């Protein structure tokens, strides 16, 4: 019943894996075959049944088909091989091994879950296979590369690090909340996960700098179902805003925020809110929620953004999630790097990817250098990736920041009391 | 003082929901000896049906909830006829292995349902449109009206179930079957009819509990396992097969969780209840009101 080639779990497959692992060791020592005419294979390991993750293989396929329609890369077609990892790190590792050793992929695009990407990272070095993540955020991914560059240089971070996410949230909060609404206090509310540790650290640092005093810092388990105690506590502390770091926990915090009519706006990172289906999933409870994103419906971040969204919607019937944009870009710049490298050799591909300068759908893609604390992380801000702050308004995602890309103004549902501090 | 009322009110709502969910689970075990491990998946089915009705058919919250309950009811009967009944009747399984076969079958059935839902509706959490909206103030605590609605509906349904079991002939047959299945067949009551009745009642309970949970907290296909586990824990704590035991245990667990969430940290919410379960296993393995 799987739509995708499943990594499989049956015993015969394990045996085959062991055999192919032995073969792979042999083939790794052989010179890389720069087959002319042989397809360029890109493995896609993703959470295919989650809304955010399902966009990853779809967007990758869309990009591959577009490139192939224009004749491919030096006459070579791009072939996407998808594996559903069921959100599991163990299944992802098996899929990665199979992609590298059996399916002989040139590169892998993998996952939006930091824990999964961190589990795959050592395997990129062991199997000398390039991996780009379209959606994980933990800074540790690139910090690891700094510590052990020679082994881990095959990993590239194709999405913003948590620190960058927090910085963008602070930049937006400074303009929207401090300058315009004169807010003074905040509560940081994040799920307990690998990606929020650096996120919260940066929040606690940058919020006071922009003039928002952090009165409480709440970390909750991602399997929390009842948020009543958390919101009651926050209400008692009377902050002007709740700054969020939520993703894997799902719809609950948003739904209960509305149900309990917590009179405090929520702003921050809310990954699920980037999905166009979030309105229906929450029955409209997301009205007024502000969330950071690198793209949004109707926002022409670059000339490529809107054509991509239109093509995606025409083909799959829904809008891409945040990691749909990045996965689409990744296929393009991996193809571009293979073209520039002129070889299938993984080390040459790494060198070419490091020189990436590609205008994609979320901005201009450039990676940070080997000597920075976060090698292979995306450069953000300015002329690279501007970042947005969107708000759910009447069932639509409206961009309210930065001013030059905004297509609407801040608007809150009636139960929110803003301006108490004014 | 506000904290006290917050704990009292929130704890009551969540406990009532647990009670309703666990009652059906206890009833099935008490009467037919079946540990239905597809319990959580059936609840998720009801929630996703109610959500999908609102999402694609654009029906109102009441119709959506009714559709959810109806689908939960149908899924329960389907479980009985497709999974449980054939295993109860087949001669290919030895009598002493029958229970473990049914246990495994319901577990696999639950996983199948869960995967199907994830495939067609993704594993993102869904919320059922609430029938009542807004907030009200109880003893100075601003409480979502939906929370009060949840508690009230749970208790109406539990009261109706009590009336059914204790005041009607069919209900008394169910009660008798739970005490002595062989005895009831000697009285001329067909056991398989009792089973169908129990699974039908269970289906309604699962549907209603699921839809209420979908309105109150929201649910994803991932919730299937934890929901089964929590019903199982409550029923074991209360005494396997004892409905009053399950009710008491639901409140013990619900309040223990709420107190932990408020006074210690929401992150440790479930831990004390699990520790209590382990302790009960040691000290009183038959549970609070267990007969065996």
């Amino acid at each position: 019943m799987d739509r995708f080639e499943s990594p499989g779990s049956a015993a015969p497959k394990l045996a085959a894996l062991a055999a192919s692992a032995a073969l792979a060791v042999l083939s790794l020592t052989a010179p890389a075959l720069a087959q002319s005419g042989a397809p360029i294979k890109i493995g896609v390991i993703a959470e295919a049944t989650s809304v955010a993750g399902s966009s990853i293989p779809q967007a990758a396929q869309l990009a591959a088909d577009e490139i192939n329609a224009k004749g491919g890369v030096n006459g070579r077609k791009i072939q996407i091989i998808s594996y559903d990892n069921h959100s599991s790190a163990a299944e992802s590792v098996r899929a990665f091994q199979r992609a590298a050793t059996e399916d002989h992929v040139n590169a892998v695009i993998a996952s939006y879950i930091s824990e999964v990407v961190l589990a795959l990272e050592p395997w990129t070095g062991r199997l000398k296979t390039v991996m780009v993540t379209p959606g994980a955020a933990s800074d540790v991914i690139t910090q690891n590369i700094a510590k052990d560059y020679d082994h881990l240089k095959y990993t590239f971070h194709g999405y913003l690090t948590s620190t960058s996410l927090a910085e963008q949230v602070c930049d937006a909060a400074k303009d929207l909340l401090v300058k315009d609404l004169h807010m003074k206090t905040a509560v940081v509310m994040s799920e307990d996960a690998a990606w929020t540790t650096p996120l919260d650290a940066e929040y606690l640092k940058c919020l006071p700098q922009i003039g928002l005093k952090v009165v409480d810092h709440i970390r909750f388990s991602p399997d929390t179902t009842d948020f009543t105690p958390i919101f009651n506590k926050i209400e008692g502390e009377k902050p002007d805003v709740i700054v969020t770091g939520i993703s894997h926990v799902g719809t609950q915090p948003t739904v209960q925020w509305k149900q309990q009519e917590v009179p405090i706006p929520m702003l921050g990172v809310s990954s699920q809110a980037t999905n166009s289906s979030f309105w229906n999933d929450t029955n409209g409870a997301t009205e007024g929620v502000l969330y950071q994103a690198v793209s949004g419906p109707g926002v022409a971040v670059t000339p490529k953004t809107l054509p991509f969204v239109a093509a995606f919607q025409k083909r799959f019937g829904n809008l891409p999630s945040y990691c749909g944009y990045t996965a689409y870009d990744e296929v393009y710049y991996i193809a571009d790097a293979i073209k520039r490298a002129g070889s299938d050799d993984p080390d040459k591909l790494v060198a070419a990817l490091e020189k990436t300068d590609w205008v994609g759908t979320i901005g201009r893609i450039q990676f940070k250098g080997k000597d920075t604390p976060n090698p292979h992380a995306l450069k953000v801000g300015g002329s690279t990736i501007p970042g947005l702050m969107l708000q759910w308004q009447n069932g639509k995602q409206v961009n309210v920041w930065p001013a030059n890309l905004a297509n609407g103004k801040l608007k809150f549902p009636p139960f929110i009391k803003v301006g108490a501090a004014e | 003082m506000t904290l006290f009322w917050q704990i009292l009110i929130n704890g009551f709502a969540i406990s009532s929901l647990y009670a309703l969910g666990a009652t059906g689970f206890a009833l099935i075990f008490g009467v037919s000896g079946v540990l239905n491990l597809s319990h959580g998946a059936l609840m998720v089915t009801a929630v996703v049906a109610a959500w999908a009705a609102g999402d694609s058919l654009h029906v109102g919250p009441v119709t959506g909830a009714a559709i959810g309950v109806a689908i939960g009811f149908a899924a329960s009967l389907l479980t009985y006829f497709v999974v449980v009944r054939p295993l109860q009747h087949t001669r290919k399984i030895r009598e002493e292995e029958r229970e473990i076969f049914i246990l495994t079958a319901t577990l696999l059935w639950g996983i199948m349902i869960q995967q199907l839902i994830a495939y067609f509706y993704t594993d993102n959490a869904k919320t059922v449109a609430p029938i009542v909206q807004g907030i009200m103030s109880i003893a100075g605590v601003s409480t979502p009206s939906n929370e009060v609605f949840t508690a009230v509906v749970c208790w109406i349904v539990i009261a109706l179930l009590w009336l059914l079991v204790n005041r009607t002939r069919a209900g008394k047959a169910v009660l008798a079957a739970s005490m002595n299945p062989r005895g009831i067949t000697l009285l001329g009551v067909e056991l398989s009819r009792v089973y169908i009745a129990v699974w039908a009642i269970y289906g309604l309970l699962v549907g209603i509990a699921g839809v209420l949970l979908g309105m109150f907290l929201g649910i994803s296909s991932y919730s299937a396992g934890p929901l089964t586990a929590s019903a199982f824990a409550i029923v074991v704590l209360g005494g396997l097969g004892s409905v009053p035991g399950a009710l008491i245990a639901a409140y013990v667990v619900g309040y223990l969780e709420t107190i932990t969430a408020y006074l210690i940290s929401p992150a440790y919410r479930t831990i004390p209840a699990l520790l209590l379960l382990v302790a009960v296993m040691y000290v009183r393995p038959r549970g609070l009101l267990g007969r065996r």
Side-chain angles (χ1 to χ4, degrees):
Chain A
M1 60 166 254
D2 254 349
R3 267 171 297 182
F4 305 94
E5 281 191 54
S6 132
S9 55
K13 279 188 183 158
L14 274 178
L17 196 72
S20 60
L23 272 176
V25 175
L26 290 176
S27 70
L28 279 176
T29 54
L33 305 168
Q35 312 100 321
S36 59
I40 294 170
K41 292 182 182 173
I42 299 179
V44 176
I45 301 170
E47 297 71 18
T49 49
S50 78
V51 166
S54 65
S55 288
I56 299 174
Q58 292 174 336
Q61 190 62 53
L62 180 65
D65 292 349
E66 286 175 7
I67 296 171
N68 292 342
K70 287 180 186 152
V73 179
N74 296 336
R76 297 170 70 187
K77 299 278 184 202
I78 305 233
Q79 186 189 347
I80 301 289
I81 306 174
S82 294
Y83 314 84
D84 183 354
N85 68 6
H86 301 102
S87 305
S88 141
E91 287 200 40
S92 301
V93 169
R94 282 201 292 273
F96 191 85
Q97 289 166 336
R98 179 170 152 184
T101 59
E102 274 185 67
D103 297 333
H104 302 291
V105 298
N106 298 78
V108 170
I109 292 173
S111 184
Y112 70 94
I113 300 175
S114 295
E115 283 83 348
V116 168
V117 174
L118 286 165
L120 291 178
E121 194 172 17
W123 288 97
T124 64
R126 285 172 203 151
L127 299 175
K128 292 196 193 306
T129 303
V130 168
M131 171 182 73
V132 192
T133 173
S138 172
D139 292 61
V140 179
I141 299 166
T142 47
Q143 284 163 4
N144 285 345
I145 303 174
K147 278 184 219 151
D148 189 6
Y149 177 83
D150 289 339
H151 281 107
L152 301 180
K153 64 177 180 180
Y154 304 95
T155 299
F156 285 80
H157 198 155
Y159 183 62
L160 276 56
T161 61
S162 298
T163 305
S164 302
L165 290 171
E167 282 167 1
Q168 291 200 336
V169 169
C170 280
D171 288 347
K174 187 179 172 187
D175 290 344
L176 293 170
L177 306 182
V178 179
K179 274 190 195 154
D180 295 353
L181 296 170
H182 312 294
M183 289 189 177
K184 291 185 178 66
T185 53
V187 164
V188 173
M189 180 182 95
S190 292
E191 64 188 24
D192 201 354
W195 75 278
T196 57
T197 311
L199 182 88
D200 286 9
E202 183 61 28
Y203 276 159
L204 298 183
K205 201 174 101 193
C206 70
L207 287 171
Q209 285 171 356
I210 61 162
L212 284 174
K213 190 181 165 215
V214 180
V215 293
D216 198 4
H217 176 206
I218 296 171
R219 284 174 76 78
F220 59 84
S221 156
D223 47 19
T224 303
T225 47
D226 186 5
F227 282 81
T228 325
I230 297 173
F231 283 131
N232 277 338
K233 182 162 183 257
I234 295 176
E235 267 191 69
E237 292 162 344
K238 301 195 190 320
D240 293 323
V241 61
I242 303 171
V243 178
T244 56
I246 52 183
S247 172
H248 310 314
V249 65
T251 56
Q252 274 95 338
T254 309
V255 168
Q256 289 171 41
W257 171 75
K258 160 73 168 52
Q259 206 168 75
Q260 219 177 317
E261 305 202 345
V262 181
I264 306 155
M266 287 205 292
L267 169 142
V269 183
S270 172
S271 308
Q272 311 246 358
T274 64
N275 301 325
S276 57
S277 64
F278 197 62
W279 181 268
N280 287 347
D281 288 347
T282 60
N283 283 302
T286 186
E287 171 79 22
V289 166
L290 285 148
Y291 65 92
Q292 182 281 343
V294 287
S295 54
V299 186
V301 180
T302 73
K304 286 180 186 163
T305 317
L306 297 183
F308 159 66
V309 175
F312 189 97
Q313 194 168 18
K314 190 177 161 206
R315 178 149 166 194
F316 302 109
N318 56 322
L319 294 169
S321 73
Y322 75 103
C323 36
Y325 291 83
T326 42
Y328 176 84
D329 289 346
E330 281 163 18
V331 171
Y332 267 102
Y333 62 73
I334 288 170
D336 174 61
I338 289 176
K339 194 172 170 181
R340 283 185 286 113
S343 153
D344 283 3
D345 179 63
D347 291 303
K348 287 184 180 156
L349 179 55
V350 168
L353 273 171
E354 285 178 338
K355 295 196 189 78
T356 296
D357 187 2
W358 180 263
V359 175
T361 58
I362 62 165
R364 191 166 164 195
I365 309 289
Q366 290 174 341
F367 290 105
K368 290 184 185 167
K370 184 181 169 180
D371 301 321
T372 62
N374 300 85
H376 297 182
L378 290 180
K379 292 184 184 169
V380 292
S383 63
T384 52
I385 297 167
L388 312 172
M389 184 59 71
L390 291 98
Q391 186 179 38
W392 275 100
Q393 295 179 359
N394 296 318
K396 294 204 165 55
Q397 293 154 303
V398 176
N399 188 36
V400 294
W401 182 89
N404 62 329
L405 290 172
N407 53 13
K409 286 223 175 310
L410 215 55
K411 203 169 80 182
F412 289 106
F415 67 86
I416 297 281
K417 310 226 173 8
V418 271
E422 269 184 293
Chain B
M1 201 56 198
T2 324
L3 190 64
F4 171 77
W5 286 107
Q6 276 175 351
I7 292 175
L8 196 71
I9 294 166
N10 293 144
F12 191 77
I14 197 85
S15 302
S16 306
L17 205 49
Y18 284 174
L20 190 61
T23 303
F25 192 81
L27 191 69
I28 291 278
F29 182 78
V31 175
S32 62
V34 173
L35 270 178
N36 174 27
L37 295 186
S38 62
H39 177 75
L42 295 177
M43 276 174 98
V44 173
T45 307
V47 176
V48 173
W51 173 83
D55 187 54
S56 40
L57 305 178
H58 305 291
V59 298
V62 179
T63 319
I67 290 174
V69 174
I71 297 289
F73 178 74
S76 161
L77 286 180
L78 191 71
T79 306
Y80 174 64
F81 282 109
V82 175
V83 182
V84 177
R85 194 180 156 103
L87 289 176
Q88 281 176 334
H89 288 276
T90 179
R91 285 160 197 268
K92 290 178 185 156
I93 301 172
R94 280 188 295 166
E95 204 51 50
E96 62 270 25
E97 288 174 349
R98 209 176 281 280
E99 274 191 14
I100 199 79
F101 265 86
I102 295 175
L103 186 88
T104 315
T106 56
L107 176 68
L108 295 177
W109 173 246
I111 294 172
M112 281 162 64
I113 295 175
Q114 184 185 348
Q115 292 296 330
L116 275 175
I117 290 173
Y119 183 80
F120 286 108
Y121 294 99
T122 78
D123 57 15
N124 265 36
K126 315 285 184 216
T127 322
V128 179
I131 291 178
V132 288
Q133 299 214 28
I135 48 171
M136 55 172 73
S137 180
I138 304 172
V141 179
S142 79
T143 312
S145 308
N146 183 38
E147 213 172 298
V148 179
F149 174 80
T150 301
V152 169
V153 172
C154 285
W155 273 101
I156 291 177
V157 174
I158 292 169
L160 287 176
L161 181 70
W162 187 85
L163 283 177
L164 181 80
V165 170
N166 290 291
R167 293 279 182 272
T168 67
R169 200 181 149 72
K172 283 178 180 166
V174 167
L175 192 63
S178 78
M179 292 172 181
N180 188 339
R182 191 165 295 170
I184 194 170
T185 52
L186 293 175
L187 290 172
V189 179
E190 216 177 309
L191 207 51
S192 65
R193 288 206 173 179
V194 174
Y195 287 168
I196 295 172
V198 170
W199 278 87
I201 296 168
Y202 169 72
L204 283 176
L205 294 176
V206 150
I208 295 169
V211 168
L212 288 175
L213 188 65
M215 286 176 190
F216 185 18
L217 303 177
I219 249 181
S220 77
S221 63
Y222 272 134
S223 318
L227 283 173
T228 306
S230 90
F232 190 63
I234 287 169
V235 167
V236 169
L237 188 62
L240 272 169
S242 161
V243 173
L247 288 182
I248 295 170
Y251 278 82
V252 171
V253 170
Y255 272 108
L256 208 50
E257 284 190 5
T258 311
I259 290 169
T260 313
Y262 273 95
L263 298 186
I264 303 172
S265 159
Y268 304 130
R269 181 179 183 109
T270 54
I271 294 173
L274 293 174
L275 290 177
L276 176 68
L277 186 65
V278 173
V280 167
M281 294 274 86
Y282 268 107
V283 180
R284 196 182 159 87
R286 64 195 160 125
L288 298 176
L289 298 185
R291 288 191 303 263
R292 287 178 250 190

